[in-house]
Amino acid sequence: MTTATRGEPAPIPTPRPQAVLTPLNTGSEALWAYDPAPERIRPEISPSYGLFIGGTFTPSASGATMPTLNPATDETICQVARGEQADVDRAVQAARDALPAWSALPGKERGKYLFRIARRIQERARELAVLETIDGGKPIRESRDIDIPLAAAHFFYHAGWCDKLRYAFAGREPTPVGVCGQIIPWNFPLLMAAWKLAPALACGNTAVLKPAETTPLTALRLAEICKEVGLPDGVVNIITGAGETGAALVNHPGVDKIAFTGSTEVGKRIAKAVAGTKKKLTLELGGKSPNIIFEDASIDQAIEGIVQGIYFNQGHVCCAGSRLFVQESVLDDVVTRLQRRLASLRVGDPLDKNTDVGAINSKAQLETIERYLQAGRDEGATLHEVNGSTLPSAGSWCRPCFFTGVQPSQTVAREEIFGPVLAVMSFRTPDEAISRANNTPYGLAAGIWTDKGSKIFEIASRLKAGVVWLNTYNKFDPASPFGGFKQSGFGREGGMHGLRAYVRL
Ligand code: NAD
Ligand code: MN
């Protein structure tokens, strides 16, 4: 640059060596591969864990337990208590007892506890990341760089709101809702606990949280953290258990608000159970989110975003970009580059720092995904399985893959698969892209890939989705609200909007 401005010819750039696009992990074909880089920390894990009620770990009333497994090895990690009606009764009572003092605490004081929880999550981050990966199968890189830091960020963010709630609801007097029953899924175990607990506590509520049956361990560590920071007993209670435990919480008359994240099917059941009661309800359900690539997009950037959108966390993401609409003129190019990128993803040991795609969360989820793969083939779509990673012999695994030749009426274009499976379709005009993208009972998220700012604003305003990402995907921040349209649920989590679910005005 400087040479050129002095009137001399710009130096001719030396050509960069072309990247060699040989698939990795394909045995004899592999040109080079990464050495294993396993995470070596092994957090201490007790053989069994109790329920966290009123500040104490206690066995379930019946003594019932259930195992949690490592989905990458099929090994049982430990036993956790299986909470039943009597346990839910005790937990709700503990939350109710803690409510008057906690809600009367000045916001500034409540904020200090949230701040301490956030700090303690940071201090124990490595241990939490490893546990998340062992219990749920997600790559350590993701739990380390995304789940745990974001969980801490949610507590930091809401610590700041504690003494400023009156500014969030200008001219009105926000008061707590009361005892919150919170039920979360297995795809982001600690992060979902943070999404639920941080705003509830910030607004002066107490909570009973039920983690998913396959991933209870980090929520139990969070219970330890609540104790470590001196959070008053009963403000947070954690009840491990299965669907019936969740149902007991939903139906408990002592609960003032239910917040649920999980499948649309269970969400509908909860909505029915809560209808006609005084309970407040927010639901964050499934999705079939579209990514739209226009011909003027930066294709390589788009491919990275698409890959991030659907293969991140094995596709166990409610807002996964599971439908891809590509403008017809660039369809072949996109498919070729997608194939090439897919071949280079490393699938395997979630504790290896080089792993891109980890284990499927459970055998049941793997069976669901496999049923969808079969349905796609049966209905005439073409399945592209180009990844050649050598998969471990034990555990639940699914190589990232995609379908082309997909018709909008086919199962793989309509239903949430919740796995690393993408449905690729094409479009000709922006109007067609919008109508096809919106042609779904869901509306959680969407992505738009184009170089034209005006197109971005036009398309984004016409997509019926709670979050629309522009030239990026799956970016989260505690300050931005998240939630769905249509069957993806109602209510927002995060940001100032998310506080609304946890106050009465
Ligand atoms: P799920 O909806 O059954 O489970 C989510 C949570 O709800 C768990 O804690 C579970 O114990 C609890 N639960 C189950 N039945 C309940 C009931 N009747 N009352 C109260 N709580 C209940 O989800 P799943 O079976 O683990 O997964 C099934 C499908 O759900 C997946 O294939 C995927 O499509 C979808 N899913 C969506 C999300 C999301 O973030 N939106 C998360 C997980 C799963
Ligand atoms: Mn597990």
Side-chain angles (χ1 to χ4, degrees), residues 69-76 363 393-396:
L69 312 184
N70 177 343
T73 62
D74 292 336
E75 283 160 0
T76 295
K363 282 261 174 298
S393 50
S396 299

Side-chain angles (χ1 to χ4, degrees), residues 126-147:
R126 193 155 174 199
E127 165 202 358
L128 289 166
V130 174
L131 271 178
E132 204 72 304
T133 286
I134 291 177
D135 204 8
K138 66 171 59 193
I140 184 69
R141 214 180 52 208
E142 289 175 7
S143 31
R144 182 193 67 195
D145 296 347
I146 294 162
D147 293 65

Side-chain angles (χ1 to χ4, degrees), residues 67-71 77 134-136 213-217 361:
T68 184
L69 312 184
N70 177 343
I77 305 170
I134 291 177
D135 204 8
E213 40 274 65
T214 56
T215 53
L217 295 185
N361 183 268

Side-chain angles (χ1 to χ4, degrees), residues 233-466:
D233 293 346
V235 172
V236 167
N237 304 275
I238 294 181
I239 301 281
T240 47
E244 309 83 72
T245 320
L249 187 56
V250 168
N251 294 319
H252 202 289
V255 171
D256 302 300
K257 182 209 155 46
I258 294 290
F260 171 80
T261 299
S263 62
T264 299
E265 184 199 332
V266 173
K268 284 180 180 167
R269 226 178 295 158
I270 291 178
K272 267 190 209 142
V274 166
T277 70
K278 287 215 182 90
K279 286 173 200 166
K280 282 180 67 140
L281 177 65
T282 44
L283 297 175
E284 203 261 273
L285 309 175
K288 192 74 185 173
S289 298
N291 252 312
I292 305 173
I293 305 186
F294 287 96
E295 58 190 2
D296 55 42
S298 155
I299 302 292
D300 280 330
Q301 187 191 344
I303 295 292
E304 273 319 296
I306 302 314
V307 165
Q308 165 72 15
I310 182 66
Y311 305 119
F312 169 57
N313 198 18
Q314 297 75 248
H316 299 336
V317 184
C318 47
C319 55
S322 51
R323 289 182 299 152
L324 176 61
F325 295 99
V326 186
Q327 197 151 18
E328 213 172 63
S329 52
V330 291
L331 179 64
D332 291 345
D333 187 19
V334 164
V335 167
T336 309
R337 294 200 219 189
L338 185 61
Q339 268 173 328
R340 210 187 282 164
R341 183 67 182 93
L342 221 64
S344 75
L345 292 176
R346 287 173 296 271
V347 188
D349 182 5
L351 280 171
D352 191 311
K353 293 166 197 162
N354 292 323
T355 291
D356 297 305
V357 178
I360 298 301
N361 183 268
S362 64
K363 282 261 174 298
Q365 189 59 31
L366 180 59
E367 280 162 20
T368 302
I369 297 168
E370 282 169 350
R371 263 202 313 278
Y372 278 113
L373 293 179
Q374 195 52 47
R377 289 191 201 97
D378 292 347
E379 293 173 24
T382 309
L383 180 60
H384 301 256
E385 293 174 293
V386 293
N387 189 279
S389 298
T390 319
L391 300 180
S393 50
S396 299
W397 307 95
C398 177
R399 290 198 179 86
C401 59
F402 66 95
F403 280 107
T404 56
V406 178
Q407 297 304 314
S409 58
Q410 289 172 352
T411 310
V412 292
R414 286 185 296 109
E415 295 184 18
E416 181 177 54
I417 300 174
F418 228 64
V421 185
L422 175 67
V424 182
M425 291 165 274
S426 67
F427 68 92
R428 290 189 184 147
T429 64
D431 281 337
E432 191 190 351
I434 294 164
S435 71
R436 297 189 66 183
N438 283 338
N439 181 16
T440 165
Y442 296 110
L444 202 48
I448 304 172
W449 299 86
T450 168
D451 252 6
K452 304 272 186 301
S454 55
K455 207 186 265 174
I456 287 178
F457 289 117
E458 163 72 8
I459 310 274
S461 66
R462 292 169 62 194
L463 287 176
K464 295 194 171 52

Side-chain angles (χ1 to χ4, degrees), residues 436-501:
R436 297 189 66 183
N438 283 338
N439 181 16
T440 165
Y442 296 110
L444 202 48
I448 304 172
W449 299 86
T450 168
D451 252 6
K452 304 272 186 301
S454 55
K455 207 186 265 174
I456 287 178
F457 289 117
E458 163 72 8
I459 310 274
S461 66
R462 292 169 62 194
L463 287 176
K464 295 194 171 52
V467 180
V468 182
W469 281 292
L470 313 168
N471 291 326
T472 187
Y473 206 85
N474 270 344
K475 288 280 180 292
F476 298 97
D477 189 287
S480 79
F482 185 87
F485 278 51
K486 300 189 271 186
Q487 287 193 25
S488 290
F490 50 81
R492 292 292 178 267
E493 293 187 289
M496 206 163 71
H497 302 72
L499 298 171
R500 184 66 190 84

